[in-house]
Amino acid sequence: MEILYSSTRAKENPVKASEAILKGLSEDGGLFVPDRIPALDKSLAEFSQMTYKQTAYEVMKLYFTDFTEQELKDCIAKAYDEKFDTEEIAPLTEADGAFYLELFHGATIAFKDMALSILPHLLTTAAAKNHVRNEIVILTATSGDTGKAALAGFADVEGTRIIVFYPKSGVSPIQEKQMITQKGKNTYVVGIQGNFDDAQTGVKQIFGDRQLAEYMDGKGFQFSSANSINIGRLIPQIVYYVYAYGRLLREGHIKEGEKINVTVPTGNFGNILAAYYAKQMGLPINRLVCASNENKVLFDFFRSGIYDKNREFVLTTSPSMDILISSNLERLIYQIAGNNPDKNRELMKALAEGGLYHITEEMRKKLSDFYGNYASEDETAKTIHDLYKKTGYVIDTHTAVAACVYGKYREETQDDTLTVIASTASPYKFTRSVVNAVSQESYDEMEDFELVDKLCEISGVHVPKAIEEIRTAPVLHQRICEKDEMKQTVMEILGI
Ligand SMILES: *Cc1c(COP(=O)(O)O)cnc(C)c1O
């Protein structure tokens, strides 16, 4: 049966999956949600025999109902190929009684590769289905990770160009090197003289410029975004939870139908929402443990029913979770409001105007699937250190936040259900913090690449290809612009 997508802020005019992917965000500012959550139509035993790609097809076909079987299989084949350093795509590693689902084996060694490897193919397929003839121009502002993952995903994808703006002095040396060495004849990387907010504001202004859009259309171009609220990023994230369950079953760690817990280090609430969708599709999941760092808006929300972003923004060693507005939470709010766009719109308006909203008692009751907690900076470092000392397994800072919170959950609830922890980045992505935590020394005087060697020595884990390559890769992008020159820069790049 066909699934249509409507906005979390209005019920009118639902669109097909391909249109929702093309649009990204609804015109009323809401997020696209499926009109129902489909049930898995293969047994868990069948899933236990499937490869990652087969699982991906079985999950995505239920949501992207206007794609043909061939179209979806082509997208999946192009996404989950040798860009990943293991055929398993998302391996499970057991350490200290939990199963780490390693989502960092893609091109940029962090979990955003899981969705950004397939989004470009979903997007170009969707464009063809909807008779879009324009070339699609992806514009992204990045504080480091998303930009590189988007560049890697879109590089040399026919019919697209990608332009990434990053704060010239606001990303780590490894992150910058990753971006400015990006190959692909359709990739453009621009450093701006400003901070991440300036880059983001500039991109939003370009997106909102109707005159520019019309002019571009005349020249055969249209903008799109690779934003994490795109349904084409959310749905592919459901896959790895189903896959992980299948692996646990195949390897005899669980019996068919036995429930597992899932712990997710959370920022924008995309990854954990995908796990929640998996649960509603029939995957036996007990609790969803939502782990935050010191920016603990979500922890407070689960405890009090109040979402309040009015607080100091803390810079932590898990920067991809340094977020005060978790945009994907809106999809959960809509659902616990009884799929009610009016109630959701009222709360989002309160958030936009006063930075806070309260949910009703009735809505709170529907949150019992979730448990929220957070890890302080010291606890995060200690978790990396202790796990390494006990097992030799080295995890990154984001994953450590999750591991720490999982420990708190167990202590608080005595629930010993088998648990999968989403491991969202390779320790090599956040080398400095990881080495400092493991060795309990500070290596301030060492360069980032020296630290890579240090980490290799400590952990015995091979330096990932993604890091090895950029040591010697030539710099291919040197464009820099002032923060008020972004629009001109885009036009220059497009030659219009
Ligand atoms: C983006 C990111 C997260 C947070 O994921 P959300 O889907 O935004 O909640 C966690 N860890 C890493 C390494 C990330 O890059």
Side-chain angles (χ1 to χ4, degrees), residues 369-441:
D369 288 328
F370 293 90
Y371 166 92
N373 213 325
Y374 74 103
S376 70
E377 287 292 274
D378 286 346
E379 287 170 331
T380 303
K382 185 170 184 316
T383 302
I384 296 174
H385 178 263
D386 292 353
L387 185 65
Y388 170 69
K389 284 287 171 224
K390 198 162 170 191
T391 68
Y393 187 53
V394 181
I395 54 175
D396 101 292
T397 44
H398 303 74
T399 309
V401 167
C404 173
V405 166
Y406 169 57
K408 292 185 180 183
Y409 171 75
R410 273 196 78 157
E411 210 171 288
E412 217 172 280
T413 61
Q414 302 295 316
D415 174 9
D416 60 3
T417 304
L418 184 145
T419 292
V420 166
I421 296 176
S423 180
T424 51
S426 158
Y428 281 100
K429 188 125 198 178
F430 300 94
T431 320
R432 187 171 297 274
S433 309
V434 172
V435 171
N436 287 348
V438 166
S439 63
Q440 292 185 320
E441 281 173 50

Side-chain angles (χ1 to χ4, degrees), residues 22 110 121-122 161 223 252 269 287 418-419 433 459:
L22 270 177
H121 306 291
L122 294 172
R161 290 197 204 191
F223 288 125
F269 210 75
R287 294 302 282 289
L418 184 145
T419 292
S433 309
S459 68

Side-chain angles (χ1 to χ4, degrees), residues 97-218:
F99 287 84
Y100 289 83
L101 177 61
E102 297 184 355
L103 304 173
F104 55 76
H105 289 271
T108 76
I109 59 175
F111 105 94
K112 290 184 178 65
D113 290 329
M114 302 303 296
L116 279 166
S117 303
I118 192 160
L119 180 72
H121 306 291
L122 294 172
L123 198 60
T124 49
T125 309
K129 295 181 86 61
N130 290 278
H131 312 291
V132 170
R133 302 214 190 287
N134 287 336
E135 190 170 334
I136 294 180
V137 181
I138 302 292
L139 273 194
T140 304
T142 186
S143 54
D145 281 350
T146 308
K148 174 64 190 184
L151 283 163
F154 280 92
D156 289 328
V157 172
E158 207 68 45
T160 70
R161 290 197 204 191
I162 173 159
I163 306 174
V164 170
F165 290 97
Y166 74 96
K168 180 74 187 123
S169 320
V171 300
S172 81
I174 287 190
Q175 285 175 324
E176 180 173 43
K177 192 85 192 283
Q178 276 192 312
M179 288 193 279
I180 61 179
T181 58
Q182 177 66 47
K183 296 187 197 121
K185 58 185 186 313
N186 64 338
T187 63
Y188 302 88
V189 180
V190 186
I192 71 154
Q193 310 283 13
N195 59 26
F196 171 62
D197 275 339
D198 298 324
Q200 183 138 43
T201 307
V203 164
K204 277 192 185 155
Q205 271 167 6
I206 298 175
F207 274 127
D209 189 334
R210 301 245 160 195
Q211 228 180 333
L212 177 64
E214 248 171 67
Y215 180 71
M216 295 248 307
D217 190 41

